[in-house]
Amino acid sequence: MPKKHAKQASPCFVFNNFFAKNIGLKTGGSYMNDPSLARFLCAELTRGYFLEHNEAKYTERRERVYTCMRIPRELEKLMIFGFFLCLDAFLYVFTLLPLRVLLALLHLFTMPCCGLRGSLLLQPAQVCDIFKGLIMVLCYSMMHYVDYSMMYHLIRGQSVIKLYIIYNMLEVADRLFSSFGQDILDALYWTATEPKERKRDSIGVIPHFIMAVFYVFLHAILIMVQASTLNVAFNSHNKSLLTIMMSNNFVEIKGSVFKKFEKNNLFQMSNSDIKERFTNYVLLLIVCLRNMEQFSWNPDHLWVLLPDVFMVIASEIAVDIIKHAFITKFNEITADVYSEYRASLAFDLVSSRQKNACTDYSDSVARRMGFIPLPLAVLLIRVVMSSVNVQGALSYSCLLLFYLGMVTLKVLNSIVLLGKSCVYVKRANMEDKLFERPSTAAPGKTPSRTRKTSRCTSHTAYPASIRHLVTLNYSFFLAIPACQTQPQASTELKHRTPKKDLLDVDRFTICGNRID
């Protein structure tokens, strides 16, 4: 039997057959008789498609576009609110902390050496204030031995590439210092105020105090080197270093956009961006002060610096917007998450203003954002005192008026922040967390563990009088009568359930610690 050879179809035949079945039939079968190139081009130009057959897909794409368009507005709302939170904690060091230290010292020298019935001579908050004041004074005295001008000329003599590498290393070192510095300060505060009846398992107050002083001093020197590098970039003739430093911000987009992010991680990044932006503003202020002092406070030189200042600020804002827009796009996170982050920061502020709060507000901001105001304050005082010559009664009078103005700004900023925070907390349905009772210990846990948890938690149980005061606080800032606010709050607290995502976010900080 002869072999039957299978007939292989040519590519042209396959194309004509497919085209006739799929396109020619739709044109009334006319293509069956005319399989030409003109007919193919005509079909390509006149064929249609129906987007409504995949409505969910294209609706999702449109929502992503709208989310990217909303990101700049929502992100800047969070950044502005976080900026004023950092400003409040920063002004606290210059305005209220000296007054608190004076009151603590006055209480120390006027009270007898032993308290009545074995009570403490100083309250824990007063002990912490005295240690903060001592750290500020000692670090400021040590900063006098660091010559800013010599450091500036030493950095100016380096090459551009070397300065670019140094600046990147300084940014990494600043984050490491910020993450570990608050732990050092917290260890000092707890060692100094730990109950005496407990068994001491620490190395003592004095070693912790020495560690805290050296930390603040080294961190202040690190920020001074950053300010000097930025000052060299401003004063360079070809502006090449400033351009390279600004392009470094865009490299940050590459390192963060294409990573997997969840809400908690994005919250940590947002807090880090708030802290970084506020620190850059203070560095720019230091650079302007040093340049104005070198040019004998000539106002014409300020107009030379302003374009570079605005360029640095604009690049920082643009990088943050692009970074957050694409992170939310790739990870399918809505723009409403930034309002949750803002409510979480507002909750920290409101809870720290309560009567029996476990921590000061500036410390809670440091834990949440990684912003430690002490080193930055020491450096700013050092730069201002070396740039401004204070002599005579008139100069001291102007200095006193400037201090009173800072106190006024601090008080007004705190009042506005507290009012806005009450609005954000109420809008996020988080009032019930303010009065949340500490959870009872499980049967397997020891009483000491339960006692420790009840001391450290920030959501302690309050009597009805304090509840009423907080309710009055809400009614004051929300312009709601107290007689209407109290029954509504009592009914809402029974039936309102908190948001799970917001509660999960609230348990995280920039340093990786948890708020139990």
Side-chain angles (χ1 to χ4, degrees):
M1 293 289 295
K3 271 187 178 181
K4 291 184 179 180
H5 296 282
K7 184 178 180 181
Q8 295 181 354
S10 63
C12 184
F13 175 78
V14 173
F15 170 77
N16 290 336
N17 189 21
F18 170 80
F19 199 75
K21 289 181 179 179
N22 293 275
I23 300 176
L25 293 178
K26 295 181 181 179
T27 59
S30 60
Y31 181 77
M32 297 290 293
N33 300 324
D34 186 18
S36 62
L37 180 62
R39 176 68 63 181
F40 174 77
L41 293 178
C42 180
E44 286 293 317
L45 295 176
T46 58
R47 69 184 179 91
Y49 44 87
F50 302 94
L51 299 182
E52 61 268 15
H53 291 168
N54 203 350
E55 181 180 356
K57 173 185 174 181
Y58 291 104
T59 302
E60 181 184 358
R61 297 291 192 275
R62 185 173 62 186
E63 291 300 325
R64 288 184 182 180
V65 175
Y66 293 164
T67 300
C68 290
M69 294 172 62
R70 289 180 56 197
I71 287 299
R73 179 183 177 185
E74 298 297 328
L75 177 63
E76 288 306 312
K77 284 182 180 180
L78 175 64
M79 289 291 177
I80 293 173
F81 184 71
F83 171 81
F84 283 104
L85 292 179
C86 293
L87 180 64
D88 190 69
F90 192 59
L91 290 177
Y92 171 83
V93 179
F94 299 99
T95 56
L96 300 185
L97 182 60
L99 298 178
R100 290 177 64 94
V101 172
L102 290 178
L103 290 177
L105 292 176
L106 182 63
H107 184 270
L108 178 64
F109 292 131
T110 55
M111 294 294 290
C113 296
C114 296
L116 186 61
R117 295 181 181 178
S119 60
L120 294 175
L121 185 61
L122 291 175
Q123 297 296 325
Q126 294 175 332
V127 175
C128 296
D129 292 334
I130 290 178
F131 274 114
K132 289 179 184 179
L134 289 176
I135 290 173
M136 291 283 294
V137 172
L138 290 178
C139 291
Y140 175 74
S141 302
M142 296 167 64
M143 288 294 291
H144 275 288
Y145 295 96
V146 181
D147 192 354
Y148 187 93
S149 301
M150 183 185 68
M151 183 180 298
Y152 172 81
H153 290 289
L154 181 64
I155 295 174
R156 190 180 180 86
Q158 307 299 322
S159 61
V160 175
I161 300 300
K162 188 182 293 185
L163 288 179
Y164 174 70
I165 297 174
I166 291 174
Y167 191 77
N168 289 337
M169 294 174 60
L170 291 175
E171 285 189 348
V172 176
D174 180 63
R175 295 186 180 184
L176 296 177
F177 269 66
S178 299
S179 63
F180 191 61
Q182 188 60 37
D183 294 336
I184 295 177
L185 296 176
D186 288 340
L188 171 64
Y189 302 151
W190 174 242
T191 306
T193 59
E194 191 176 4
K196 304 299 181 183
E197 64 271 8
R198 296 189 55 180
K199 182 181 178 180
R200 291 283 181 132
D201 54 355
S202 61
I203 59 177
V205 178
I206 295 179
H208 278 286
F209 179 73
I210 295 175
M211 290 172 56
V213 170
F214 273 100
Y215 154 70
V216 175
F217 175 67
L218 293 177
H219 200 175
I221 291 180
L222 177 67
I223 301 174
M224 178 182 284
V225 177
Q226 281 185 306
S228 301
T229 308
L230 189 61
N231 198 2
V232 171
F234 270 62
N235 294 329
S236 60
H237 297 288
N238 53 4
K239 304 295 182 182
S240 60
L241 179 59
L242 184 62
T243 305
I244 292 175
M245 290 170 63
M246 286 192 303
S247 65
N248 187 39
N249 294 330
F250 291 91
V251 178
E252 184 182 355
I253 298 177
K254 178 182 177 182
S256 57
V257 164
F258 301 104
K259 293 181 180 179
K260 178 66 177 177
F261 275 87
E262 296 182 358
K263 286 187 176 182
N264 296 328
N265 307 114
L266 185 59
F267 186 37
Q268 296 176 11
M269 175 177 286
S270 302
N271 291 331
S272 179
D273 291 339
I274 292 172
K275 175 253 179 183
E276 182 181 358
R277 186 178 294 189
F278 182 82
T279 305
N280 289 336
Y281 290 160
V282 178
L283 291 179
L284 291 174
L285 176 62
I286 292 174
V287 169
C288 292
L289 288 176
R290 293 298 301 173
N291 279 275
M292 294 298 292
E293 190 266 338
Q294 292 295 325
F295 286 89
S296 301
W297 296 95
N298 186 7
D300 295 334
H301 185 68
L302 182 62
W303 298 104
V304 179
L305 293 174
L306 285 181
D308 295 334
V309 172
F310 289 146
M311 186 166 54
V312 172
I313 295 176
S315 65
E316 187 72 24
I317 294 175
V319 167
D320 289 340
I321 290 176
I322 295 174
K323 179 175 63 176
H324 284 265
F326 280 98
I327 286 176
T328 53
K329 178 184 182 298
F330 293 149
N331 296 276
E332 299 180 356
I333 301 176
T334 62
D336 297 331
V337 72
Y338 292 102
S339 62
E340 298 180 9
Y341 298 160
R342 190 173 55 191
S344 182
L345 296 177
F347 178 82
D348 290 340
L349 174 59
V350 175
S351 60
S352 65
R353 298 292 180 177
Q354 294 179 359
K355 183 178 181 180
N356 296 327
C358 291
T359 181
D360 182 60
Y361 171 65
S362 59
D363 295 332
S364 64
V365 170
R367 294 185 186 93
R368 178 68 76 183
M369 299 184 183
F371 172 68
I372 305 176
L374 291 182
L376 201 59
V378 169
L379 177 60
L380 187 59
I381 294 174
R382 170 72 174 82
V383 171
V384 170
M385 295 303 294
S386 61
S387 302
V388 179
N389 189 13
V390 181
Q391 290 181 354
L394 182 60
S395 299
Y396 284 103
S397 300
C398 294
L399 185 62
L400 179 60
L401 292 176
F402 180 73
Y403 173 75
L404 294 177
M406 290 182 63
V407 172
T408 305
L409 178 62
K410 168 67 174 66
V411 172
L412 292 177
N413 187 40
S414 300
I415 292 174
V416 174
L417 279 178
L418 185 58
K420 298 297 290 185
S421 300
C422 291
V423 174
Y424 297 149
V425 169
K426 187 176 181 62
R427 190 180 299 167
N429 302 334
M430 296 179 65
E431 306 101 312
D432 50 351
K433 288 189 65 181
L434 294 172
F435 311 111
E436 190 176 277
R437 293 182 179 272
S439 58
T440 57
K445 294 185 178 181
T446 58
S448 60
R449 177 69 177 173
T450 306
R451 193 183 310 117
K452 181 179 179 180
T453 305
S454 63
R455 287 177 61 89
C456 296
T457 182
S458 62
H459 314 308
T460 53
Y462 297 98
S465 58
I466 299 180
R467 287 172 177 263
H468 182 65
L469 288 177
V470 178
T471 305
L472 289 178
N473 188 19
Y474 278 110
S475 63
F476 174 75
F477 288 108
L478 298 175
I480 301 174
C483 58
Q484 298 180 6
T485 305
Q486 188 170 0
Q488 289 180 1
S490 61
T491 56
E492 289 177 358
L493 291 180
K494 293 180 181 179
H495 305 287
R496 183 176 291 162
T497 57
K499 295 182 179 180
K500 293 184 179 180
D501 293 339
L502 192 59
L503 299 182
D504 292 338
V505 169
D506 186 61
R507 289 197 289 267
F508 285 83
T509 65
I510 187 63
C511 302
N513 302 324
R514 286 181 179 270
I515 302 177
D516 296 325

